[in-house]
């Protein structure tokens, strides 16, 4: 019997006790035998198909499109364990394609994903407002990318497995410019394992003085407040007016 005064938030239809078997076609509610999953939405041929909402016993849920029983299409997902949410494209239950991931701890990612990981091109912003946009691989910054720090410094260059490695240029907020040649790696290349996003305080540990501090690589002046790291300056090196960071 229909529960008096209760309506489905999706369809507006009266809520009935879930059947023991999945509905065949149309709209219906079904609680799975393990009681961990509850589905409310459209069915076709005994499978979830169309618009619906799948609720998990731990408080997680997915709401959006289903195809032949699978989470596939456009939808929104909440993970109760982390508090993170994702809105965008799904394939077989995983975020895949384009979408927006919002992190409970702060920050968000907007761009391409594959099997739930950042893959391709996108923009990542941390809780402090520092932003990276460029290439990702296996959930890490990898390839060419730009980064803007909260103190106004800007970096453009190569990244390898979440580290700045290869050629890069740092334009500081005070107008000074630093260039890293492509064959320099490690701390001299402004790199190192810095976590999900590099914080400017860590970066300034390497770039806290002009000229650079001892042990941070050789430096050669490129003109007023301009330095190249790791190798002597080359004629015609990148100038402040053409730092390559936009």
């Amino acid at each position: 019997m229909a529960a008096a005064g209760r309506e489905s938030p999706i369809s507006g239809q009266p809520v009935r006790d879930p059947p023991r078997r999945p509905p065949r076609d149309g709209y219906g509610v079904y609680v799975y035998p393990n009681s961990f999953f509850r589905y409310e939405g459209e069915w076709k041929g005994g499978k979830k198909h169309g618009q619906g909402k799948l609720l998990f016993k731990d408080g997680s849920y997915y709401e959006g499109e289903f195809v032949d029983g699978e989470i596939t299409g456009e939808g929104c997902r909440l993970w109760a364990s982390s508090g993170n949410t994702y809105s965008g494209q799904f394939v077989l239950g995983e975020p895949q394609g384009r979408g927006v991931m919002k992190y409970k701890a702060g920050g968000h990612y907007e761009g391409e994903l594959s099997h739930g990981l950042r893959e391709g091109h996108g923009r990542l912003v941390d809780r402090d407002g520092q932003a990276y946009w460029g290439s990702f691989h296996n959930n890490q910054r990898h390839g060419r990318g730009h980064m803007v720090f909260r103190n106004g410094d800007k970096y453009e260059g190569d990244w390898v497995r979440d580290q700045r490695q290869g050629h890069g240029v740092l334009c500081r907020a005070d107008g000074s410019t630093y260039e890293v040649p492509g064959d320099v790696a490690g701390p001299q290349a402004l790199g190192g394992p810095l976590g999900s996003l590099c914080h400017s305080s860590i970066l300034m540990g390497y770039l806290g003085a002009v000229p650079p501090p001892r042990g941070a690589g050789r430096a050669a002046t490129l003109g007023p407040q301009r330095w190249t790291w790791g190798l002597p300056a080359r004629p015609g090196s990148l100038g402040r007016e053409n730092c390559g960071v936009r």
Side-chain angles (χ1 to χ4, degrees):
M1 297 178 61
R6 292 177 57 208
E7 290 186 346
S8 162
I10 296 179
S11 66
Q13 298 179 9
V15 176
R16 296 176 173 83
D17 294 333
R20 293 185 179 182
R21 286 187 175 184
R24 182 70 184 171
D25 294 293
Y27 173 86
V29 177
Y30 180 66
V31 177
Y32 286 77
N34 61 12
S35 299
F36 190 81
F37 302 104
R38 181 182 188 274
Y39 175 77
E40 178 181 344
E42 297 175 326
W43 298 80
K44 182 179 180 181
K47 295 181 180 181
K48 301 183 292 292
H49 190 92
Q51 292 290 324
K53 186 173 185 178
L54 183 66
L55 298 101
F56 302 76
K57 196 171 185 179
D58 67 353
S60 304
Y61 71 85
Y62 166 82
E63 185 170 6
E65 295 179 313
F66 292 81
V67 176
D68 291 330
E70 300 289 350
I71 294 174
T72 296
E74 294 280 342
C76 178
R77 177 83 155 89
L78 165 71
W79 290 268
S81 58
S82 64
N84 298 338
T85 62
Y86 170 79
S87 299
Q89 298 173 323
F90 288 80
V91 175
L92 299 178
E94 295 183 317
Q96 184 149 331
R98 292 196 62 86
V100 177
M101 184 80 73
K102 295 183 178 180
Y103 305 102
K104 183 179 180 181
H108 66 275
Y109 170 77
E110 181 175 0
E112 298 174 322
L113 300 99
S114 179
H115 300 289
L117 303 178
R118 297 186 290 267
E119 185 77 28
H121 291 273
R123 185 171 187 265
L124 180 64
V125 180
D126 74 2
R127 70 177 80 184
D128 297 319
Q130 300 182 127
Y132 168 89
W133 61 99
S135 296
F136 290 85
H137 175 62
N138 197 29
N139 218 43
Q140 298 178 318
R141 295 164 294 179
H142 190 90
R144 195 74 178 172
H146 307 246
M147 188 154 182
V148 177
F149 301 91
R150 62 174 175 263
N151 66 351
D153 292 350
K154 300 177 181 180
Y155 172 79
E156 177 185 8
D158 299 325
W159 299 74
V160 176
R161 295 188 295 275
D162 232 16
Q163 299 181 25
R164 293 179 303 268
Q165 184 169 320
H167 179 265
V169 176
L170 177 77
C171 291
R172 293 185 60 173
D174 63 8
S176 58
T177 299
Y178 301 85
E179 180 184 7
V180 183
D183 53 356
V184 177
Q188 295 124 293
L190 317 181
L194 302 179
S196 61
L197 279 180
C198 171
H199 291 280
S200 60
S201 58
I202 300 175
L203 178 66
M204 290 306 108
Y206 294 123
L207 298 179
V210 177
R214 291 180 180 273
R218 291 178 291 160
T221 181
L222 296 174
Q225 294 186 312
R226 290 160 54 198
W227 298 82
T228 183
W229 283 61
L231 292 174
R234 303 188 305 274
S237 293
L238 207 56
R240 184 187 310 172
E241 70 282 358
N242 186 27
C243 66
V245 180
R246 295 173 292 276

